[in-house]
């Protein structure tokens, strides 16, 4: 009998070691991507007090977790405050977040406001409640940020959320409008930031499993499976499976806008455009057929360029 045959224990140990390495790589990727987004958009600066909105879902848990890790190694000093808004949805487990947050070395605040009852009174049965609920929640969070002395509000929207918003606005709003990584709040008082802007949802799903976050379901107000956002989300996930890299390219496209090659007359002065008689290497090749990107190689032929992680 060969002594090289792995025992069940050694096979399990190798498997555990492989999982540990993959988890470590995922953590480094998340920290790198969040750090890049913060740097690219100058989201957090020295002296900032950032209110991290925590809903109890995988996205906001991951946001808080990675921001805490980055704060430990950041070359600047900034503060984090975790805030949850308990909107009194029936069945909401109010004990979960306080118990979780009390174990962290971080100040936190639980704001209790019965917006659920308000929405139920106003919105007819069977209609989508998200819009009104969002407006009420936004106003409350602005007030809480002011009371806590925060100048930044961090939200847990990720890459896939941003792309969903782009398609929702195109399909149903007739606007080429996405979800920015950074913007001024509606009332002009706060800077709203989305540090997960470069992070794929599938990585967040896996990280939430690794960390075993105490997830609170997002359907407490009533599951609305026919929401347009759900439909668009399913479309993007299907694309991601069939065409790896497509969603990343779409996100890059939002960062590489060419106004002269769109059709918005408010964004580019088409009406006053004049010929110059000077060649422009960036000009349109009007009579050329638009070249398409090269088709991706078959899976067996793919060459993956590895970038060293910081």
């Amino acid at each position: 009998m060969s002594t090289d045959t792995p025992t069940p224990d050694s096979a399990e140990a190798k498997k555990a070691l492989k999982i540990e390495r993959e988890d470590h790589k995922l953590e480094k990727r998340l920290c790198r991507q969040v750090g890049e987004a913060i740097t690219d958009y100058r989201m957090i600066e020295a002296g900032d007090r950032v209110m991290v909105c925590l809903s109890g879902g995988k996205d906001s848990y991951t946001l808080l977790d990675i921001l805490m890790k980055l704060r430990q190694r950041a070359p600047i000093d900034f503060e984090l405050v975790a805030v949850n808004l308990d909107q009194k949805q029936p069945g909401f487990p109010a004990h979960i977040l306080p118990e979780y947050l009390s174990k962290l070395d971080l100040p936190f605040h639980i704001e209790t406001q019965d917006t659920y009852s308000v929405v139920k009174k106003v919105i007819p049965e069977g209609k989508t409640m998200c819009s009104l609920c969002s407006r009420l929640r936004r106003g409350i969070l602005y007030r809480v940020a002011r009371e806590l002395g925060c100048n930044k509000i961090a939200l847990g929207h990720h890459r896939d959320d941003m792309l969903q918003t782009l398609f929702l606005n195109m399909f149903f709003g007739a606007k080429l409008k996405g979800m920015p990584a950074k913007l001024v709040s509606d009332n002009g008082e706060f800077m709203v930031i989305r540090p997960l802007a470069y992070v794929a949802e599938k990585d967040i799903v896996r990280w939430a499993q690794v960390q075993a976050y105490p997830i609170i379901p997002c359907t407490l107000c009533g599951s609305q499976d026919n929401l347009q956002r759900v439909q668009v989300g399913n479309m993007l996930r299907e694309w991601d499976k069939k065409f790896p890299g497509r969603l990343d390219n779409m996100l890059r496209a939002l960062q590489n806008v060419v106004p002269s090659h769109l059709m918005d007359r408010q964004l580019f002065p088409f009406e006053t455009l004049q010929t110059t008689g000077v060649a422009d290497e960036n000009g349109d090749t009007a009579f050329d057929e638009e070249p398409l990107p090269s088709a991706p190689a078959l899976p067996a032929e793919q060459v993956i360029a590895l970038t060293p992680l910081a």
Side-chain angles (χ1 to χ4, degrees), residues 159 163 244-256 293:
R159 179 202 69 179
L163 294 178
R246 173 176 287 190
L247 300 193
D248 287 330
N249 281 340
M250 289 163 56
L251 185 72
R252 292 191 196 99
L254 291 176
Q255 301 168 290
N256 292 281

Side-chain angles (χ1 to χ4, degrees), residues 124-185:
E125 191 68 31
K127 296 293 183 179
T128 301
M129 300 184 292
C130 301
S131 180
L132 176 58
C133 182
S134 178
R135 289 199 300 273
L136 293 172
R137 182 172 63 247
R138 186 162 59 243
I140 293 169
L141 290 175
Y142 289 168
R143 174 181 58 77
V144 172
R146 187 180 310 113
E147 292 173 354
L148 294 176
C150 298
N151 63 319
K152 302 277 178 73
I153 299 175
L155 303 179
H157 299 113
H158 46 69
R159 179 202 69 179
D160 300 48
D161 288 325
M162 301 173 89
L163 294 178
Q164 285 177 25
T165 301
L166 173 68
F167 281 98
L168 283 167
N169 282 319
M170 282 199 295
F171 293 165
F172 306 106
K175 288 184 179 180
L176 193 59
K177 175 184 175 183
M179 178 186 285
K182 177 182 178 182
L183 76 159
V184 177
S185 63

Side-chain angles (χ1 to χ4, degrees), residues 146-249:
R146 187 180 310 113
E147 292 173 354
L148 294 176
C150 298
N151 63 319
K152 302 277 178 73
I153 299 175
L155 303 179
H157 299 113
H158 46 69
R159 179 202 69 179
D160 300 48
D161 288 325
M162 301 173 89
L163 294 178
Q164 285 177 25
T165 301
L166 173 68
F167 281 98
L168 283 167
N169 282 319
M170 282 199 295
F171 293 165
F172 306 106
K175 288 184 179 180
L176 193 59
K177 175 184 175 183
M179 178 186 285
K182 177 182 178 182
L183 76 159
V184 177
S185 63
D186 295 355
N187 65 357
E189 187 174 356
F190 307 101
M191 193 65 70
V192 179
I193 59 176
R194 296 183 170 98
L196 298 180
Y198 294 167
V199 178
E201 183 177 26
K202 59 187 178 184
D203 281 348
I204 294 175
V205 170
R206 186 174 150 218
W207 184 246
Q209 293 170 344
V210 171
Q211 296 297 101
Y213 296 132
I215 302 295
I216 297 174
C218 61
T219 55
L220 293 173
C221 56
S223 179
Q224 298 169 313
D225 293 335
N226 292 323
L227 287 178
Q228 295 159 341
R229 182 172 288 276
V230 174
Q231 298 172 16
V232 172
N234 291 336
M235 178 189 75
L236 292 176
R237 279 186 286 275
E238 188 66 22
W239 280 354
D240 197 32
K241 290 178 184 177
K242 291 183 177 180
F243 311 104
R246 173 176 287 190
L247 300 193
D248 287 330
N249 281 340

Side-chain angles (χ1 to χ4, degrees), residues 3-41:
T3 57
D4 294 331
T5 302
T7 65
D9 288 343
S10 65
E12 287 297 320
K14 289 180 180 178
K15 182 179 179 181
L17 181 59
K18 181 179 179 181
I19 292 174
E20 183 180 348
R21 286 173 177 168
E22 290 299 317
D23 293 345
H24 182 61
K25 286 169 58 178
L26 175 60
E27 179 181 349
K28 292 184 70 174
R29 181 162 68 250
L30 291 172
C31 289
R32 174 175 54 80
Q33 290 175 334
V34 172
E36 287 175 353
I38 290 174
T39 300
D40 288 350
Y41 292 92

Side-chain angles (χ1 to χ4, degrees), residues 18 46 106 272:
K18 181 179 179 181
L106 187 80
T272 58

Side-chain angles (χ1 to χ4, degrees), residues 289-295:
E289 190 168 323
E290 282 293 321
L292 295 175
S294 300

Side-chain angles (χ1 to χ4, degrees), residues 52-61 83-85 92 97 216-217:
V52 183
C53 297
L54 195 66
S55 66
K58 67 183 189 318
D59 305 334
S60 59
Y61 275 123
V83 171
N84 168 253
L85 173 57
F92 182 79
L97 284 171
I216 297 174

